[in-house]
Every structure is written in structure tokens, then in C-alpha cells.
Amino acid sequence: MSRVTEALIPPSQRLSADELHDALNLGAGEVGRKRSAFLIMLVLSAIIAAAGVLGDSTATVIGAMIIAPLATPILGIALGIVVGQLRLVVSSLLWVLLGVVLVIAIGAMFAVFVADPSELQSNSQITGRTSPGLLDLAAALATGTAGAFAMSRRDLSTVLPGVAIAISLVPPLGVVGVCAGVGEWDAATGALWLFLSNVVALIIAGSIVFTLAGYAREPSSLPTARRRRAYIIVGIAAVIVVIPLAFNTVASFLLTSWGLTIRNASQEWISADTTASISDVHWVGVNATIDVVTDDGEIPDTADLATALDGLPEFVGVSVRVQTEAEYAIR
């Protein structure tokens, strides 16, 4: 290893290839113990995640993150790619797919019995996981790097709970199940994309760290040429994931910019009426709605507002919704 690599992963603290393989491969060593622990913790984390999502409880969702075991087979995929073990890649991928199905199914069952579809749109645990962007990918890459380092070094095992909290694997799948259970397919798709982006980020980060740690040069590893196809597949998956994330990031930036323009223009427009105020500007697609609260339901001429918003793109729709604020003395 180079001096930089030795500084990051000191030889005295580096796990051997066999030790790392045993830690990440659910089909090696004490198979029964590993698989039973994986399934038990997966089901429990799925139940906790579904309850936390439906109850809009951040603390409960964090609990699901801490005990979620999905990072193990995902990093197993990364190790299998680095050392060229197709069997490890395939078996780890199958365990990930099993985990995905179980968590989504549990979330859907919870949703069918206890979810109120009308409340999901205001649920922060759902809205925060249905429109991922590039920042989510960057966070996942950093978290995956930390997790791979922690798995490679004996002295970093204490950081694993923090890594588990930082990477969002089971909660997005819980959101997928809850949203699918009540027929909110757009939200379910967004949460599933967040999960997939986190998986790809973990595989990429894990592959880089395990390569730096020297596992690709172990005698049991296959030559680089034999692993090239796996690297190409991971690269293609990364591109596929990044495109919608980039689109979401750009769209979010534009909506924020246009929303600020609309709010400033509407504040100026309504200023002539001292009894009126702007309570909110919210978006549905590319259509913005300005909520105006007045005492008598009257508002200034909207033509002035339309003129002030001439700089917005033609496809951006803007409407005004008037709410009357009335107070009645009972006694």
C-alpha cells in the first residue's frame, strides 16, 4: 500500500481479506447464525420504520436506521466486485432483494390497516424521502466511505452506529411500502429511487475503499481484467441513478427561485391592503398557488400582479386563493 493508504488504513488495524469476507458474506462461516440475525433485525427494523413513518416520528425512524442490517450485503456486493468473486456479488444481491421485498411488504401491510391517505402529504417522514437530489447522493457516498473504512479497520467499529444513522436504507423502503399500500405510486417511486441511489453510492464507495485497502491485490482476488465488466455495470447504474437526481436538484432550485420571485411580487402587490397578508406560496408541479388572507375577501386587481410576474417562464402557472379571516365573539 502507498503511504497515503497506510495512513488511512494502518496495516496494524487492517482486517485481513478472510476476516472482511467473513463479516460481509452471509453465506460463509456460521451461516445459520448470520442469516437468522439478518432476518430478525431486518423484520424488526422494518416494523420500527413503518411505525415511525406512519407516526411521523424522527426518533423512531432513527431507531430503525440503527438496527437495519442491509448495509452488510450491500458492502458484500462491493467486496465481491473488488476481489472478483461473482458468487459473493450474486448472493449478496439476492439478500438485498429479499430485504427490499420484506420491508416494502411490511410497510404496505401497516398502511392498509392504519394509514390515512389524506395525512401522508403533510407527513415529514414521507415528504423528505420522495424527492431525492444530488445532495442525498453526496451524503450517501460519504456515508458509504465511512462505513467501508469502519469495516476495514479494527479500531473504527465504534463509528458503525453513527454510519447506520447517516445512511437511509430501511426508512425509504418503509415509505415505499406505506405509499404503495394506499396507492400513492408517485411518492413510492421517489422513495424507491432514494433507496437505489443510496445502494449504488454504498457500492461505489465500498469498492473504492476496499481497493485502496489492498483487497484487490490479495492472492485470492481475480485479475483486474476479469473484474472490468462489474465496474462497467456499476458505472452504468451510477449514471442511471444520477440523471433523475440531477433533474430533481435543478427542478428544486428553479422552484425555489421562482417561488421567491412570486412571494416578493405578491407581497408588493398586496401591500396596498393593510388588512391582507400572504400566508403561503406552494407548488403542485409547475403551478404555484398564492394563499392570501383578508378580512373581507377582497384583493387588489390581479392584473398588477400578473404584470410583476412577466419575467417567469410561460409554462409556470400562478393562481391566487383567497381565505377570509373572521373572528366572532361568543361571550
Side-chain angles (χ1 to χ4, degrees), residues 79-85 211 215-218 221-233:
L79 179 62
I81 291 173
V82 169
V83 301
Q85 293 185 13
T211 300
Y215 296 112
R217 296 186 295 275
E218 293 286 338
S221 300
L222 294 178
T224 303
R226 299 283 296 276
R227 304 193 300 270
R228 191 167 296 146
R229 180 179 299 177
Y231 289 126
I232 292 174
I233 293 173

Side-chain angles (χ1 to χ4, degrees), residues 15 145-157 159-160 163 209:
L15 262 67
T145 301
F149 268 117
M151 291 300 302
S152 302
R153 291 180 52 157
R154 305 177 193 278
D155 58 340
L156 289 183
S157 59
V159 309
L160 286 175
V163 171
V209 172

Side-chain angles (χ1 to χ4, degrees), residues 316-327:
V316 175
V318 180
S319 59
V320 175
R321 180 168 57 188
V322 181
Q323 302 172 359
T324 303
E325 186 178 65
E327 181 177 337

Side-chain angles (χ1 to χ4, degrees), residues 23-299:
L24 297 179
N25 187 359
L26 295 176
E30 299 180 41
V31 175
R33 176 186 62 81
K34 288 182 181 180
R35 292 179 176 178
S36 62
F38 176 84
L39 291 173
I40 291 171
M41 299 307 287
L42 180 68
V43 171
L44 291 176
S45 66
I47 293 173
I48 295 171
V53 168
L54 289 169
D56 197 3
S57 171
T58 300
T60 305
V61 170
I62 290 175
M65 292 178 182
I66 293 176
I67 69 171
L70 274 176
T72 297
I74 294 173
L75 289 176
I77 295 173
L79 179 62
I81 291 173
V82 169
V83 301
Q85 293 185 13
L86 179 60
R87 178 177 295 181
L88 176 57
V89 173
V90 173
S91 64
S92 297
L93 180 60
L94 290 177
W95 280 106
V96 173
L97 292 176
L98 174 62
V100 169
V101 172
L102 279 176
V103 177
I104 291 177
I106 290 172
M109 285 190 293
F110 268 69
V112 168
F113 292 106
V114 302
D116 182 356
S118 63
E119 296 182 357
L120 297 185
Q121 294 181 353
S122 60
N123 188 315
S124 63
Q125 300 303 322
I126 292 178
T127 57
R129 292 183 171 89
T130 54
S131 185
L134 291 177
L135 285 178
D136 296 294
L137 183 62
L141 284 169
T143 305
T145 301
F149 268 117
M151 291 300 302
S152 302
R153 291 180 52 157
R154 305 177 193 278
D155 58 340
L156 289 183
S157 59
T158 55
V159 309
L160 286 175
V163 171
I165 294 173
I167 190 66
S168 194
L169 293 172
V170 168
L173 292 177
V175 172
V176 174
V178 167
C179 292
V182 296
E184 294 289 340
W185 297 108
D186 288 343
T189 301
L192 181 60
W193 210 259
L194 173 61
F195 170 78
L196 292 176
S197 67
N198 287 344
V199 169
V200 171
L202 274 175
I203 293 174
I204 292 174
S207 299
I208 293 172
V209 172
F210 294 151
T211 300
L212 288 175
Y215 296 112
R217 296 186 295 275
E218 293 286 338
S220 58
S221 300
L222 294 178
T224 303
R226 299 283 296 276
R227 304 193 300 270
R228 191 167 296 146
R229 180 179 299 177
Y231 289 126
I232 292 174
I233 293 173
V234 172
I236 293 173
V239 172
I240 293 174
V241 165
V242 164
I243 290 175
L245 296 186
F247 176 81
N248 269 354
T249 300
V250 172
S252 178
F253 172 79
L254 290 175
L255 291 179
T256 300
S257 177
W258 295 335
L260 184 60
T261 299
I262 293 171
R263 179 173 287 276
N264 290 338
S266 58
Q267 292 283 11
E268 180 67 23
W269 163 69
I270 206 69
S271 62
D273 187 347
T274 58
T275 66
S277 62
I278 305 297
S279 64
D280 191 22
V281 176
H282 60 90
W283 293 89
V284 177
V286 292
N287 297 304
T289 300
I290 305 170
D291 287 330
V292 179
V293 179
T294 69
D295 289 342
D296 54 9
E298 299 293 329
I299 59 173

